[in-house]
Amino acid sequence: MEVGQMQRRLIEYTKSLFMEGILDDQFLQLQQLQDESNPDFVVEVVSLFFQDAERLLNDITSALDQQSVDFPKVDAHVHQLKGSSASVGAQRVKNGCIAFRNFCEEQNVDGSLRCLQQIKQEYYHVKNKLEALFRLEQQIVAAGGSVPMMELSF
Amino acid sequence: MATVGEVFRRSLPETIDQVRDDSSSSSELHVLAVDDSLVDRKVIERLLKISSCKVTAVESGTRALQYLGLDGERASVGFNESSVLREIPVVVMSSENILTRIDRCLEEGAEDFLLKPVKLDDVKRLRDFIMKGDGKDGGETRIHKRKRQDDYASLSSPSPFPACDPSSPLMPSSSPSARSSKRAKLRNKD
């Protein structure tokens, strides 16, 4: 596949992620912060997000597994996950966290467990999508092309 | 669940003594960014660098105080007692749009409140505002100068606000019109 085709494929792929609500505007903000002096900025931030998210999902899972659930603690973890997912534009994960916090407030274990499942699914979904996106970018760069930036209007 | 903040500083000193001695103001803002989230620290650092600021990013209020040389027992003055440090504009960032909390931040002397996730435009606007505000008119454009503890000898002090240095309780200042315009601006963010 030649570079132009790859670039078009990347743009279409990225657009689809926005259309499906998997990514939001904040992801574009991150891309704006990337340049020749910081060519891997987005990958770096997203990698930090993956580490953070997996740690938090584990912590939340353990906390919900306790005999007596410490809801303020669970809420604190969810708050952190909401924050970092919002910062990278992982919209569905962020929205899942917002819903989750309601269950924490109600001290609802079953609701929380269901929500956690949902968030895990959304997290792995966005992780797969972003990894695929980064692979497409790598292919373009390897073929000597430059990564096209998304237009902010659509 | 930490509320986080940023501290803007005009010069580039390493110690508090240097802050006092530094009479010239450099054109570059040096920002002390405080955030307990590694992801957010990385993002805010980049946002500030791209906006031509020098950045020091730390993970907690305690670390921020250590950086400023105000660590707990060793500190001879608090953040608001030091006449130099009092001049440093403080901006609060939070992911939660809780108006009572935002109001409290502004009342207690915060320069501005940024709703997270922070965008490049937010940082640019803020930097321009801070750069314009300091200098010759010495903070006249700053609406709520943080007051010293002894200014409040006759008033009762409220419980310390969690986002700020717990060892130096801050007092509310007046100017409700300024606050309401800021509030209106923040509401529009929804």
Side-chain angles (χ1 to χ4, degrees):
Chain A
M1 207 186 294
E2 50 94 31
V3 172
Q5 262 183 296
M6 285 194 269
Q7 287 170 329
R8 275 187 300 276
R9 202 168 84 155
L10 174 65
I11 294 200
E12 285 314 305
Y13 188 71
T14 312
K15 257 193 198 159
S16 72
L17 298 182
F18 284 94
M19 293 304 166
E20 291 168 37
I22 294 172
L23 292 180
D24 66 28
D25 203 52
Q26 193 58 25
F27 187 76
L28 293 179
Q29 283 284 321
L30 290 190
Q31 289 189 319
Q32 275 193 295
L33 300 178
Q34 184 164 289
D35 60 22
E36 310 79 47
S37 66
N38 276 261
D40 301 313
F41 179 71
V42 181
V43 173
E44 286 168 5
V45 177
V46 170
S47 303
L48 286 176
F49 165 64
F50 290 160
Q51 285 170 30
D52 213 38
E54 282 167 40
R55 175 184 58 85
L56 288 166
L57 288 169
N58 280 337
D59 289 348
I60 294 168
T61 306
S62 310
L64 287 177
D65 208 24
Q66 303 304 309
Q67 280 277 41
S68 166
V69 177
D70 183 350
F71 275 104
K73 187 163 158 193
V74 174
D75 187 68
H77 290 320
V78 177
H79 172 79
Q80 281 195 291
L81 183 57
K82 185 193 103 175
S84 52
S85 56
S87 292
V88 300
Q91 188 173 249
R92 288 201 199 156
V93 177
K94 178 193 76 174
N95 289 340
C97 291
I98 293 172
F100 198 147
R101 295 189 80 193
N102 291 330
F103 289 118
C104 288
E105 214 171 312
E106 294 167 15
Q107 311 235 334
N108 182 338
V109 178
D110 288 335
S112 298
L113 285 168
R114 280 198 307 273
C115 222
L116 178 62
Q117 267 316 106
Q118 181 93 13
I119 292 177
K120 279 180 176 172
Q121 273 176 12
E122 295 298 351
Y123 167 70
Y124 287 110
H125 192 53
V126 72
K127 184 175 184 194
N128 287 337
K129 294 290 185 179
L130 285 172
E131 285 175 339
L133 191 148
F134 294 142
R135 275 196 300 276
L136 284 174
E137 287 184 348
Q138 273 167 3
Q139 284 166 14
I140 291 170
V141 172
S146 59
V147 175
M149 281 296 118
M150 285 296 310
E151 291 293 303
L152 283 174
S153 58
F154 62 84
Chain B
M1 184 165 69
T3 312
V4 297
E6 299 179 347
V7 176
F8 286 79
R9 191 164 69 189
R10 298 224 37 155
S11 47
L12 310 170
E14 294 306 307
T15 69
I16 298 308
D17 290 330
Q18 282 176 279
V19 174
R20 288 196 191 103
D21 293 342
D22 196 339
S23 48
S24 64
S25 55
S26 68
S27 55
E28 191 185 43
L29 272 181
H30 182 179
V31 181
L32 177 60
V34 186
D35 200 313
D36 58 1
S37 157
L38 183 51
V39 172
D40 288 349
R41 273 203 302 284
K42 189 161 173 87
V43 174
I44 197 71
E45 188 175 32
R46 185 79 190 121
L47 280 169
L48 289 165
K49 281 185 174 162
I50 260 193
S51 309
S52 314
C53 297
K54 179 174 167 175
V55 192
T56 302
V58 298
E59 66 187 9
S60 67
T62 308
R63 290 263 177 257
L65 293 175
Q66 283 170 359
Y67 179 79
L68 295 171
L70 294 172
D71 323 62
E73 308 92 52
R74 291 212 320 263
S76 53
V77 289
F79 189 70
N80 277 339
E81 272 87 45
S82 158
S83 53
V84 174
L85 295 180
R86 263 197 319 134
E87 296 301 315
I88 301 177
V90 174
V91 173
V92 179
M93 301 185 291
S94 175
S95 58
E96 297 182 308
N97 198 358
I98 297 175
L99 287 174
T100 46
R101 193 192 284 173
I102 295 171
D103 277 350
R104 184 99 189 262
C105 291
L106 297 176
E107 276 169 26
E108 299 205 356
E111 202 61 44
D112 205 342
F113 181 94
L114 295 180
L115 201 55
K116 290 162 86 176
V118 179
K119 299 188 185 318
L120 195 52
D121 285 347
D122 294 331
V123 176
K124 289 195 158 144
R125 173 184 61 79
L126 194 57
R127 186 212 50 199
D128 291 345
F129 173 70
I130 300 270
M131 296 287 270
K132 224 172 20 158
D134 278 349
K136 292 214 169 97
D137 52 327
E140 250 176 60
T141 48
R142 228 177 73 242
I143 290 136
H144 308 112
K145 195 159 179 163
R146 293 193 305 282
K147 302 210 162 66
R148 295 158 64 104
Q149 269 191 298
D150 47 279
D151 290 351
Y152 299 102
S154 56
L155 304 173
S156 59
S157 57
S159 55
F161 184 61
C164 308
D165 173 8
S167 67
S168 59
L170 301 176
M171 291 298 294
S173 50
S174 52
S175 182
S177 56
R179 278 205 304 285
S180 59
S181 68
K182 274 198 165 134
R183 232 185 274 132
K185 189 170 68 175
L186 293 165
R187 276 210 191 103
N188 291 335
K189 266 213 152 182
D190 292 334

